[in-house]
Amino acid sequence: MARWCLARTVTVVSLTVTLSAVAARYPSCRLPHPLLHPFRELAYSSVPVHWFHFYPVSMLSCYNPNENVHNKAHTSPYPGSKVERSKVPTDKVGWLVEWEDYKPVEYTAASVLAGPTWADPQISAKNFSPKFNEKDGQVERRSLSNFYEVENGRPRNPSGRTGLMGRGLLGRWGPNHAADPIITRWKRDSSGNKIAHPISGKNILQFVAIKRKDCGEWAIPGGMVDPGEKISATLKREFSEEALNSLQKSRAEKEEMEKQMNRLFNQEHFVVYKGYVDDPRNTDNAWIETEAVNYHDEPGETMDNLLLEAGDDAGKVKWVDISEKLKLYANHGDFIKLVAEKWGAHWNEDPVPGCP
């Protein structure tokens, strides 16, 4: 145990030292890669070592500096259209790399240009002067990761070129803030006993997944944060609308649902991730950022009293066994992996090196 605690302490200290060196090299305190931004805040915070638990490190350790950060954000055609992105070589994703011939097509969906309440006007619109990198009235234009550049009046994607200008399907110029509630429970048999995976020997964790109507992929239920809305309220609202079909319930049903929801969402929770999301809707000027939060129903009793029913943007909803075999929307699989690690649940069938 002492050796393990020492190893963990050394890891955190090493991370802090590494980030200190990076900060010295970059006096503006801007880390060279967006995936590193959350760790800068961690390294200079007063958070006790025992809080760290290694979870964000697992994302960092998988990062290859020569690997393209954008995967889903480089797919063509753009969702819901026939628009093709310009191809962006891996070595030219970053904005610091000169690329004079980079002239991607501009696209903003007609549904966004129609001017719904959740969307900004065009940059050239009269009386529209957004305050980027600030709280702009009720609209949150600050990034969860870091300050972003603004060029010719347009915000620039902090993770680099995507091969498409404009806003696509996104309403806001710059960061579009979302919230993803990850509701979990242990898989149990008819007697209420936890079920362990036959190969890994670890208990199987389940989470509530929805099948998105727009692309048909399974995902974490979630959605965009309304102007002035707290993240906690968004998490609760999106889950009830997409996984419980609350919009179609009677007043009495909503009141009973609210009681059970409060039991679940008022308990201790685990912030899985905060920051940039590799999403197929991202463009050079608009991108998704999210806060993914895990609410775990340990005894399973709360969720037993809530009937899953797809609603709003969800075509289907169900409990899904967590494992590395899951194929989920955007980078939701990364979030689910962190949750599995948090609870020591089954993830893959590969034996751990050095363990029997």
Side-chain angles (χ1 to χ4, degrees), residues 183-203:
I183 311 302
T184 56
R185 71 178 185 187
W186 295 109
K187 186 174 184 178
R188 299 176 184 272
D189 59 24
S190 57
S191 299
N193 300 311
K194 296 179 182 178
I195 298 176
H197 191 273
I199 297 179
S200 70
K202 295 182 178 181
N203 292 330

Side-chain angles (χ1 to χ4, degrees), residues 127-354:
N127 299 324
F128 180 56
S129 301
K131 298 177 181 178
F132 294 120
N133 288 304
E134 297 181 34
K135 183 70 177 295
D136 187 9
Q138 292 295 309
V139 179
E140 181 58 85
R141 299 193 189 277
R142 292 173 294 185
S143 171
L144 292 171
S145 300
N146 203 352
F147 280 89
Y148 50 88
E149 301 290 341
V150 179
E151 186 176 68
N152 298 323
R154 295 186 174 203
R156 205 160 63 171
N157 190 314
S159 288
R161 300 179 174 96
T162 67
L164 187 73
M165 295 193 301
R167 282 176 290 162
L169 289 167
L170 301 178
R172 304 294 179 192
W173 294 97
N176 287 253
H177 293 282
D180 296 311
I182 304 174
I183 311 302
T184 56
R185 71 178 185 187
W186 295 109
K187 186 174 184 178
R188 299 176 184 272
D189 59 24
S190 57
S191 299
N193 300 311
K194 296 179 182 178
I195 298 176
H197 191 273
I199 297 179
S200 70
K202 295 182 178 181
N203 292 330
I204 299 174
L205 197 65
Q206 297 180 313
F207 83 104
V208 176
I210 64 164
K211 189 172 186 179
R212 295 175 60 103
K213 288 182 179 178
D214 57 355
C215 62
E217 293 184 79
W218 287 94
I220 299 166
M224 309 310 296
V225 180
D226 290 339
E229 186 178 40
K230 293 183 178 180
I231 289 290
S232 57
T234 307
L235 291 162
K236 186 176 177 181
R237 173 177 57 79
E238 287 294 336
F239 182 77
S240 64
E241 290 178 359
E242 295 194 339
L244 303 176
N245 197 22
S246 62
L247 296 176
Q248 302 300 320
K249 300 297 183 182
S250 66
R251 182 175 180 178
E253 288 174 324
K254 288 181 179 179
E255 289 177 353
E256 182 58 34
M257 182 185 298
E258 186 73 12
K259 293 178 182 178
Q260 299 300 328
M261 291 280 287
N262 287 337
R263 288 182 59 189
L264 181 66
F265 281 82
N266 289 340
Q267 68 179 11
E268 184 178 352
H269 53 271
F270 166 53
V271 178
V272 182
Y273 177 79
K274 293 172 66 173
Y276 182 88
V277 178
D278 178 25
D279 191 284
R281 294 168 292 179
N282 292 350
T283 72
D284 285 0
N285 311 119
W287 58 91
I288 297 284
E289 295 189 10
T290 196
E291 183 166 336
V293 182
N294 174 218
Y295 296 89
H296 180 61
D297 185 12
E298 177 64 28
E301 297 172 354
T302 300
M303 289 306 301
D304 283 347
N305 295 320
L306 288 170
L307 178 64
L308 295 183
E309 182 180 347
D312 198 23
D313 297 327
K316 295 181 180 180
V317 60
K318 66 178 181 179
W319 286 101
V320 174
D321 292 355
I322 291 177
S323 79
E324 66 173 351
K325 296 179 181 179
L326 286 176
K327 302 297 180 183
L328 301 176
Y329 177 79
N331 59 346
H332 288 190
D334 295 331
F335 304 159
I336 295 300
K337 180 180 180 181
L338 291 175
V339 172
E341 292 177 355
K342 157 71 176 178
W343 296 107
H346 167 73
W347 176 250
N348 59 35
E349 300 177 6
D350 295 331
V352 178

Side-chain angles (χ1 to χ4, degrees), residues 97-119:
V97 179
E98 294 289 340
W99 191 6
E100 295 182 0
D101 295 332
Y102 181 64
K103 295 179 176 61
V105 66
E106 176 153 349
Y107 172 69
T108 299
S111 58
V112 176
L113 294 176
T117 56
W118 47 267

Side-chain angles (χ1 to χ4, degrees), residues 39 55-63 272-273 331 334-335 338:
F39 301 99
Y55 305 125
V57 172
S58 64
M59 294 187 75
L60 178 63
S61 64
C62 296
Y63 168 61
V272 182
Y273 177 79
N331 59 346
D334 295 331
F335 304 159
L338 291 175

